[in-house]
Amino acid sequence: MRGTADLHAPAMNGRLGALSDYPFPRLAALLADVTPSANRPPLALSVGEPQHPPPPMIAERLAANTPLWSKYPPTAGTPDFRNAVAGWLTRRYGLPDGMVDPERMVLPLSGTREALFLIAQVTVPETKAGRRPAVLIPNPFYAAYEGAAVMAGAEPVFLPASAETGFLPDLDAIPEEVLARTALFYLCTPANPQGAIADRAYLRKALTLARAHGFTLLVDECYAEIWDKAPPPGGLEVARDMGGEEPTANLLVFHSLSKRSNAAGLRSGFCAGDPDLIQAFQRLRSYSMAGVPLPVLDASAALWRDEAHVEENRNLYRAKIDAAEAALAGRLGFYRPPGGFFLWLDVGDGEWAARELWRQAALRVLPGAYLTRPDADGANRGHSFIRVALVHDTETVAEACARIAEILS
Ligand SMILES: Cc1ncc(COP(=O)(O)O)c(C=O)c1O
């Protein structure tokens, strides 16, 4: 029995206790005692997992590479994968040829979540400016950012990103004292969940701050290919405009095939940018993470070289946002998200709404407060919201949005 004189519980990392509960177990607990009265199969609008069919080229490339499953993949991936990524970045962001050096500036990832977590181990020192380092996180935020900051021993500093600030952090409002000890800034554009897009001036200001105060600007661009009217600018575009000897200094961009190519199960993404950071990250990853399997790298390279499936995908999302708009315009604070595929609806009380939608319509949505922390004034600005992921087919989304309007309006 634990606690007796000669049997002690194993020592544990005390930082684990500082982690908030992950949003999805919280949702499961919230809905545990509610039985849906609707006579219909449950529909998950809570998870950002695209349900459009994955492109057939994935199965084709995996089948063609069966012998490669017996090989350990190198941490740096293959030249073919890195070239495919450098080519895509160059075309997508109008970069000069040669700006993205595939040898020094690109690293394959097994999906981006683990890497978003692990990068804090590279970028967060013991102390900065003689004090505990800070990691800047937009509020609301993707949970991995907070976990990364906490486990790296940093203070997560949540930057309000509500309607008053255009759903992006107000860069002018970050105190100098915080900037001085900032080690890492996670910026998500298009933002999950609000869909806001940082323009070039915003990204330029963020990168200028990173260089002035000696921290890493990490731009999470995993929703970059899902947009309504205009393609979101990227961190590398701004680095190009700013020029200099090392244009990507202090900058990392993260991209994923999970949303762009409906391939969340493939676990494939990459990060690119500052060669020193990439090199340090590769060094850490050699010790800590599995390389991306060679057949997956080959399929991923084919996906990054293809735009047809991405265009088709984007059109499907537009049709769904049209359907959502038809059902919800003028209600629950609906607005067309400029990027990404989430609705961020102001329903008054997100937990109440999640329980009602589950009870009356078997719809699972995520209370906004599970993606936010209280701001400095003590107010949790996610409390009145729900996040709705438009990941199913258009007809299903249209019907679900009509039910949401009916039940919550
Ligand atoms: C903002 C954001 N970043 C990163 C990820 C991680 O995606 P993946 O690990 O599938 O690349 C997600 C997934 O939902 C996300 O919403």
Side-chain angles (χ1 to χ4, degrees):
M1 202 212 294
R2 284 182 177 163
T4 56
D6 53 357
L7 202 51
H8 300 282
M12 302 254 272
N13 186 338
R15 287 173 185 162
L16 276 165
L19 293 180
S20 315
D21 289 337
Y22 208 70
F24 299 114
R26 277 181 85 181
L27 177 62
L30 177 76
L31 302 183
D33 66 340
V34 182
T35 307
S37 57
N39 185 19
R40 55 189 298 154
L43 186 69
L45 302 165
S46 43
V47 188
E49 182 189 67
Q51 299 296 306
H52 309 161
M57 75 179 84
I58 297 179
E60 289 159 16
R61 297 311 309 160
L62 294 182
N65 284 308
T66 305
L68 295 179
W69 289 113
S70 61
K71 299 215 168 292
Y72 278 118
T75 306
T78 57
D80 181 60
F81 174 86
R82 292 194 303 272
N83 283 326
V85 163
W88 178 77
L89 286 169
T90 304
R91 290 190 301 279
R92 167 65 174 81
Y93 294 109
L95 307 178
D97 279 339
M99 177 175 153
V100 180
D101 178 350
E103 291 305 308
R104 298 162 58 239
M105 295 170 61
V106 177
L107 208 50
L109 305 173
S110 298
T112 53
R113 175 164 55 170
E114 282 167 282
L116 287 165
F117 177 85
L118 197 63
I119 193 67
Q121 300 290 332
V122 175
T123 52
V124 177
E126 288 292 315
T127 58
K128 183 154 184 260
R131 281 168 300 151
R132 185 178 178 204
V135 170
L136 305 182
I137 298 176
N139 194 21
F141 59 94
Y142 181 55
Y145 309 158
E146 183 193 28
V150 168
M151 295 309 289
E155 179 194 352
V157 174
F158 297 102
L159 307 175
S162 53
E164 301 96 76
T165 62
F167 291 125
L168 291 169
D170 178 357
L171 299 178
D172 295 323
I174 309 170
E176 280 293 317
E177 168 284 311
V178 171
L179 288 169
R181 60 191 177 92
T182 294
L184 174 63
F185 180 3
Y186 287 100
L187 179 64
C188 187
T189 173
N192 169 5
Q194 318 95 310
I197 292 176
D199 64 15
R200 281 203 211 165
Y202 185 99
L203 290 168
R204 189 185 179 104
K205 192 180 254 188
L207 189 52
T208 303
L209 285 176
R211 290 174 180 171
H213 296 277
F215 63 81
T216 297
L217 173 66
L218 187 160
V219 192
D220 182 351
E221 300 180 346
C222 80
Y223 294 97
E225 293 301 80
I226 299 165
W227 42 267
D228 190 21
K229 303 278 192 289
L236 290 175
E237 235 173 308
V238 168
R240 172 204 65 200
D241 294 347
M242 290 171 75
E245 218 163 276
E246 191 57 82
T248 59
N250 298 54
L251 173 69
L252 288 176
V253 297
F254 277 56
H255 282 270
S256 172
L257 290 174
S258 299
K259 325 287 175 180
R260 174 187 183 266
S261 301
N262 306 316
L266 190 66
R267 307 312 300 133
S268 182
F270 69 84
C271 65
D274 187 323
D276 290 344
L277 289 168
I278 292 286
Q279 194 190 14
F281 197 20
Q282 186 174 330
R283 187 171 154 80
L284 178 66
R285 284 171 51 80
S286 309
Y287 285 89
S288 58
M289 284 178 92
V292 182
L294 291 168
V296 173
L297 285 176
D298 183 63
S300 304
L303 290 169
W304 288 115
R305 289 189 172 110
D306 183 69
E307 289 301 325
H309 76 279
V310 183
E311 183 65 39
E312 198 182 315
N313 205 24
R314 198 154 43 233
N315 288 334
L316 288 174
Y317 283 114
R318 279 199 197 105
K320 292 191 279 186
I321 293 177
D322 288 345
E325 187 166 34
L328 289 161
R331 304 183 203 206
L332 308 175
F334 173 89
Y335 61 92
R336 266 187 98 90
F341 50 57
F342 297 109
L343 303 182
W344 185 236
L345 297 176
D346 191 346
V347 296
D349 178 341
E351 286 192 324
W352 166 83
R355 284 170 67 89
E356 279 311 297
L357 291 172
W358 182 238
R359 191 172 66 76
Q360 296 189 41
L363 299 177
R364 265 179 124 83
V365 302
L366 197 64
Y370 296 4
L371 301 169
T372 48
R373 297 285 166 268
D375 288 327
D377 60 5
N380 188 333
R381 288 181 172 73
H383 170 81
S384 65
F385 287 83
I386 54 171
R387 189 188 76 172
V388 181
L390 305 184
V391 288
H392 300 275
D393 62 81
T394 309
E395 198 186 325
T396 307
V397 163
E399 201 189 315
C401 288
R403 290 293 279 143
I404 292 173
E406 191 183 303
I407 293 168
L408 300 183
S409 288

